[in-house]
Amino acid sequence: MTITFTDAAIEQLNTEDYVAFQLNPSLGGCSIGADWITFKALSSKETQTGEKLVETNYKPVVLGVKHESFFKEDMIIDYSSKRNAYMLKSKSEILSSRLPLEK
């Protein structure tokens, strides 16, 4: 799996001093799909049991191993100044067009 940050996302994220980020889908009631995805800023890149660190073109992203199946092989984290929000997408779909950064 690869995760790429766009230039717009990197420019916006450079305003703070984060070490890594975490993507975590919240499972729906039947665990069929993700109801929403959280994007969290981390002050360390230590992983917990059941998580892995994915290297990116910017800073690493922590993913839960059991959640990896919810994401496409090539994910993109973008930023829209018009929406003042991050976006998580692949080449074929948008998983979240308003991805708030939790600090």
Side-chain angles (χ1 to χ4, degrees):
M1 167 181 238
T2 61
I3 300 173
T4 303
F5 287 83
T6 64
D7 291 341
I10 291 171
E11 182 178 330
Q12 187 67 24
L13 291 168
N14 271 337
T15 61
E16 302 280 345
D17 190 29
Y18 306 120
V19 173
F21 300 96
Q22 182 177 40
L23 287 172
N24 189 22
S26 176
L27 300 179
C30 296
S31 298
I32 294 171
D35 283 342
W36 70 86
I37 300 169
T38 58
F39 181 46
K40 186 175 180 180
L42 303 175
S43 57
S44 101
K45 51 183 174 177
E46 293 179 28
T47 59
Q48 304 295 318
T49 303
E51 296 178 335
K52 76 176 197 174
L53 200 62
V54 177
E55 293 299 326
T56 73
N57 65 323
Y58 180 53
K59 294 182 180 180
V61 173
V62 175
L63 289 178
V65 174
K66 68 180 181 178
H67 297 138
E68 192 174 13
S69 64
F70 290 102
F71 302 112
K72 300 288 185 188
E73 187 60 34
D74 297 316
M75 297 304 304
I76 300 165
I77 297 176
D78 198 0
Y79 180 77
S80 170
S81 58
K82 186 182 282 187
R83 292 184 176 166
N84 193 28
Y86 295 93
M87 297 184 300
L88 180 64
K89 57 188 179 179
S90 69
K91 292 180 181 179
S92 61
E93 69 179 324
I94 296 174
L95 279 90
S96 178
S97 62
R98 294 191 182 270
L99 189 65
L101 179 64
E102 296 179 8
K103 300 175 186 179

